[in-house]
Every structure is written in structure tokens, then in C-alpha cells.
Amino acid sequence: MTESLPLTLGFSPCPNDTHIFNGLVHGQVELTRCCLGNVHLEDVETLNEWAMQGRLDVTKLSFHAFGHVRDRYALLQAGAALGRGCGPLLITGASDKPANLADWNIAIPGAYTTAALLLRLYRPDCRRLMIMRFDRIMDAVAAGTVDGGVIIHESRFTYQALGLRCIRDLGQWWEETTGLPIPLGCIAARKTLPLPIRAEIDEAIAASIRWSDAHSGEGLEYIRAYAQEMDPQVMREHIALYVNDYSRGLGEEGMHAVRQLLRRGADVGLFPLVDDDI
């Protein structure tokens, strides 16, 4: 292992990411051209903002945020959150609210999340948006602090327990509109890193997923450490939903879905459409 090039790495504490990176951060995957330096576990919107600043060498980020940093970061093939039946949900509660959805105050889990992008594509007229941490949105909707909210991650498994209902499954809307899986989050590496380094990190992430899949019992303690308040069954469902074949490699269909999302985001003016391929 070369100690001369320690790389900073960031990913979220959600079970899908800790499952994906478990083997890599615990030395179960060998690196020869580089080594891991500081590892940061942060909320995905924090990672999105850090990507705008170029703080990390390798990072998880939303595909929406990736649209803003394509000039600085290269998309990796492994580690993505992309699939079917796994998109954000637009939910509401029982409190009184305006009849027109465009007049609702809607909580979103970050300005640069793919959830925010999907809401913009689905209903461009919804502009009364409130940025809120993803894990606070359901309580805010239940309390009537906001009229609706876009929820992500494990919230899709638990919102009904709070008496909330789904107005629109934004991932389903995307699938019906495009026929493609919904790209949610990805792993990207600085373009200034040499190509062989990027390729090694990409393969190391894929190898880490293979290790975690094969050693799920060994990895459970690490995953639970960052999901202490999550029901174990919800945790397992979370991993099963968000760690899939697209996580192991985007493939042709996954890349087509990513290009479609970036193109549509550029069409509504959220970020420039860069001509170079990804």
C-alpha cells in the first residue's frame, strides 16, 4: 500500500452506505496505488455542499449535486443508489392546507438532493420550499409545521406509522415518465486524481460491496453503530432496497438513466448541461 497518496473519503451514515464501504474502511479490500486518509460520515446534503467546495477526494453525493460539479468530479461506476421502487415520496398529514399543491409549504431534505430535483421536475410550480434535515421532515409534516414534505431513506418504511399519507411517489413518477430506474446518489472522485487511482478506488468499492454481501453478520455491528435508533427489520429492508445490482456497477441502463436525469435537470435550468460524456 502506498502511503504517499492518502485519499479523503465521505459517505453517509445510512445503512446502504455503511454496508457498501464496510469492507473498504476496515481493511478487507487491498489498495496498492493509494490509501485511505480521513473518512467522514455525514448527512448527504452536507456531502453535497462539501462537493461544491471540492473538499473531499472521493465522496458520496446526490446526482442533483453531481450535475453542479461535473467539471471537477468524475462519476464512479460502483456504490451508486439507483433503482426502481426506491424514490422519494411526497407526503402530507391531516392538517388543513391550501387546495392547490403549488401553494403548499413543502419541506425538502436539502437544496441539492435528487429529491429536490425530482419535485422540481414533477411540479415546477411548487416554489414554497423549506430546507430541512431529512430525519425531521416527517415530524414537521405530522405537526402541521409544513403542508407536505419530500422524504427519503428509511422514512419511506415508517411514515404511515405517523398517520401520514403519500401524495405522489416521485420515483414511480420518474419511472412512468422515462421507463428508467431513478438515479438517487453516486460516488464521485476528483478529476485531478490520476485515472489509475480512480479505477482502483472504483474496483475497491465494488470489492467492498462483495465483501459486505458475503459477510453480512460481521458487518452488522458497524452498520448498527450509525443506525442505533433504526428498527433492525427497517435496516435490513433499507439495505436490500438501496444496495442492488446498480450499486455493483451502473451498467448501460444505469448510465442512460443518469444522463436523462442530468439532461432534464439542465432543461429546467438547475445546472448547465456539460457536453462531455460521463
Side-chain angles (χ1 to χ4, degrees):
M1 181 181 291
T2 303
E3 296 296 337
S4 59
L5 189 59
L7 302 180
T8 52
L9 168 66
F11 53 91
S12 84
C14 292
N16 59 307
D17 280 350
T18 49
H19 177 89
I20 285 171
F21 286 98
N22 196 354
L24 181 58
V25 300
H26 289 104
Q28 301 298 329
V29 177
E30 183 180 3
L31 295 170
T32 60
R33 297 177 182 272
C34 59
C35 64
L36 285 184
N38 292 330
V39 177
H40 304 269
L41 278 74
E42 299 286 348
D43 170 73
V44 69
E45 185 67 354
T46 298
L47 296 173
N48 289 340
E49 292 169 357
W50 285 8
M52 304 291 178
Q53 303 163 18
R55 285 184 58 171
L56 301 177
D57 295 312
V58 180
T59 184
K60 170 73 175 283
L61 72 166
S62 300
F63 273 108
H64 180 183
F66 179 67
H68 291 271
V69 299
R70 285 182 59 189
D71 58 331
R72 287 164 282 163
Y73 281 90
L75 177 65
L76 300 186
Q77 292 294 303
L82 184 149
R84 299 181 186 275
C86 62
L89 306 180
L90 174 59
I91 63 166
T92 191
S95 60
D96 293 337
K97 57 188 67 67
N100 189 347
L101 185 64
D103 296 325
W104 285 19
N105 293 314
I106 300 176
I108 57 172
Y112 298 111
T113 58
T114 303
L117 170 56
L118 283 173
L119 179 63
R120 177 71 182 273
L121 295 179
Y122 170 59
R123 286 293 299 262
D125 56 340
C126 289
R127 297 298 182 92
R128 302 179 65 170
L129 307 179
M130 301 177 61
I131 296 174
M132 194 175 294
R133 269 185 61 95
F134 79 93
D135 54 354
R136 297 175 181 170
I137 291 178
M138 287 196 301
D139 287 340
V141 175
T145 307
V146 291
D147 300 311
V150 181
I151 57 172
I152 58 176
H153 301 325
E154 64 274 7
S155 298
R156 69 177 293 119
F157 302 111
T158 59
Y159 72 94
Q160 292 173 315
L162 294 178
L164 307 176
R165 60 190 178 91
C166 179
I167 296 297
R168 192 63 165 108
D169 183 325
L170 297 176
Q172 183 183 50
W173 170 80
W174 168 268
E175 293 176 44
E176 292 170 353
T177 303
T178 67
L180 295 167
I182 177 61
L184 298 171
C186 63
I187 310 299
R190 290 186 196 273
K191 285 188 173 180
T192 53
L193 292 174
L195 281 172
I197 297 290
R198 285 189 247 160
E200 179 172 51
I201 289 294
D202 213 350
E203 172 51 36
I205 295 170
S208 183
I209 296 172
R210 292 193 295 269
W211 182 87
S212 294
D213 288 345
H215 300 82
S216 57
E218 295 178 45
L220 205 54
E221 183 177 351
Y222 176 64
I223 297 168
R224 279 178 174 166
Y226 292 97
Q228 294 178 355
E229 297 181 7
M230 190 181 298
D231 179 84
Q233 180 58 32
V234 171
M235 186 175 71
R236 287 189 290 270
E237 291 175 355
H238 183 110
I239 294 171
L241 184 62
Y242 293 106
V243 183
N244 52 39
D245 287 342
Y246 295 111
S247 307
R248 299 170 182 93
L250 284 169
E252 184 177 343
E253 184 180 47
M255 291 298 292
H256 182 43
V258 171
R259 294 186 183 102
Q260 279 291 315
L261 186 72
L262 294 177
R263 185 172 298 112
R264 289 168 185 255
D267 286 345
V268 297
L270 290 178
F271 42 74
L273 180 62
V274 181
D275 291 334
D276 64 321
D277 199 10
I278 56 174

